[in-house]
Amino acid sequence: MKNLLHHTLASSLLVGSVSAATSYIGPVFDLFDDTATTNTNADNWTNGTPGAGNDGTVASNFDFSTFGASNNGNVNPLPSGTFSVTQTAGAGTGGQWNLAGNSDFTYNLNGGSITSTAGTFFINGNTFNVAGGDLTANTMRVLGNLNISSGSIAVPALDMETNSVLTQTGGTITTTSAIVLTQSNSGSKVANLAGGSYSNSSASFLFANANMAIGIGGDFVLDAGSATGLFNNTGGTSTIDFASDWTGSLTLDSVTAWDDVFEAEVGRVTVDGVNIGSGEFETYFLNNAGVITLVPEPSTALLSLIACGGLFVRRRRHS
């Protein structure tokens, strides 16, 4: 089994500039064109509300509590078809954020900020990209695709649900929950952690116990100095696969016997798909007072010495 990070993710990570056909001018911020009322939301955009073939751009402050026909932060359904809204500047504030009903919709937070102070921030069946802005929420639930390449996310808990995918290649994520990466429903979940930083100063465990496939690689750095365990329960179905070229680190509780913790999770912790078995922690990992890194691969020169019989070094196995 190859690391999840080796899968092609280009379709979800391409968050570059979007050639918008309509721009938000206000004063009411909504993607629901309620033409049946005197408040026609299309008038708040230069070329009507965003939709298929009519991507939107937001570059000024907005209040997203006006979402939906009931002005309650809910839009369901979104217009059908493939389209996006890209925020390049401005501060978005409100309570609940819930854009649902269209899996082909993408919101790009490329600049500015979004602050949700009440209710839940839902990524509900679509894609949300953070590529330069700042997102803060009171509660966050991921039921779609969340990609962060730069910028920041700060939430009490990053709660992944059925069929959700988190991909981090840069930026920062900060949580304060008892588990660094949590879940609330059954069903498969994927976390591709390939760059950037993730911090939590109060968690006892890194990952939730069931149905979560975690890939760690690139220069990804996790700082969770209070964590004393990988999973919140033993015998679960969540897994961690480290890429053999991972150059980052995990900062965990400094006095925990991490060799015992890793080796106890037989079949759940792998390097390039190879199980970490009894007595094998030090074959793959270094533990410097709770800072976990990979054992460096031997250099080309060192391998030449080994081939000549001048030195013996135990090299990590690969699948």
Side-chain angles (χ1 to χ4, degrees), residues 32-43 48-49 69:
F32 176 80
D33 188 8
D34 188 7
T35 55
T37 71
T38 55
N39 175 26
T40 303
N41 294 322
D43 293 342
T49 52

Side-chain angles (χ1 to χ4, degrees), residues 177-258:
S177 56
I179 304 174
V180 170
L181 197 55
T182 66
Q183 64 181 31
S184 61
N185 285 346
S186 60
S188 63
K189 308 153 192 75
V190 175
N192 295 302
L193 307 175
S197 64
Y198 197 132
S199 64
N200 180 307
S201 60
S202 56
S204 298
F205 303 96
L206 297 188
F207 304 111
N209 190 52
N211 304 319
M212 188 179 293
I214 302 105
I216 294 178
D219 61 354
F220 173 74
V221 172
L222 172 63
D223 187 350
S226 60
T228 56
L230 298 178
F231 306 102
N232 60 326
N233 285 300
T234 58
T237 55
S238 290
T239 59
I240 308 173
D241 186 38
F242 292 87
S244 61
D245 58 357
W246 172 52
T247 59
S249 62
L250 308 180
T251 299
L252 311 174
D253 178 67
S254 61
V255 300
T256 296
W258 287 104

Side-chain angles (χ1 to χ4, degrees), residues 38-293:
T38 55
N39 175 26
T40 303
N41 294 322
D43 293 342
N44 298 297
W45 299 80
T46 58
N47 189 32
T49 52
N54 196 34
D55 291 338
T57 290
V58 179
S60 59
N61 295 345
F62 60 94
D63 178 1
F64 56 83
S65 62
T66 55
F67 273 161
S70 299
N71 291 339
N72 58 5
N74 294 284
V75 176
N76 190 1
L78 279 165
S80 60
T82 301
F83 72 102
S84 65
V85 173
T86 297
Q87 181 180 339
T88 59
T93 56
Q96 179 140 300
W97 173 293
N98 183 20
L99 302 175
N102 183 354
S103 60
D104 295 320
F105 172 72
T106 299
Y107 194 97
N108 299 309
L109 179 58
N110 289 359
S113 64
I114 294 178
T115 303
S116 172
T117 57
T120 300
F121 193 97
F122 286 98
I123 299 172
N124 202 344
N126 43 56
T127 297
F128 194 99
N129 297 316
V130 181
D134 302 310
L135 169 61
T136 304
N138 179 60
T139 303
M140 189 172 192
R141 294 172 64 185
V142 181
L143 296 87
N145 302 305
L146 172 60
N147 305 309
I148 175 169
S149 57
S150 63
S152 69
I153 294 177
V155 292
L158 205 167
D159 188 4
M160 296 180 66
E161 304 199 8
T162 300
N163 299 324
S164 57
V165 179
L166 165 66
T167 300
Q168 184 179 7
T169 58
T172 62
I173 299 176
T174 304
T175 63
T176 57
S177 56
I179 304 174
V180 170
L181 197 55
T182 66
Q183 64 181 31
S184 61
N185 285 346
S186 60
S188 63
K189 308 153 192 75
V190 175
N192 295 302
L193 307 175
S197 64
Y198 197 132
S199 64
N200 180 307
S201 60
S202 56
S204 298
F205 303 96
L206 297 188
F207 304 111
N209 190 52
N211 304 319
M212 188 179 293
I214 302 105
I216 294 178
D219 61 354
F220 173 74
V221 172
L222 172 63
D223 187 350
S226 60
T228 56
L230 298 178
F231 306 102
N232 60 326
N233 285 300
T234 58
T237 55
S238 290
T239 59
I240 308 173
D241 186 38
F242 292 87
S244 61
D245 58 357
W246 172 52
T247 59
S249 62
L250 308 180
T251 299
L252 311 174
D253 178 67
S254 61
V255 300
T256 296
W258 287 104
D259 54 344
D260 293 339
V261 173
F262 275 62
E263 292 170 14
E265 301 291 356
V266 178
R268 302 181 71 190
V269 181
T270 58
V271 176
D272 281 349
V274 177
N275 289 332
I276 307 302
S278 177
E280 293 189 327
F281 176 84
E282 292 181 352
T283 301
Y284 296 92
F285 299 98
L286 299 173
N287 179 4
N288 182 11
V291 179
I292 310 299
T293 56

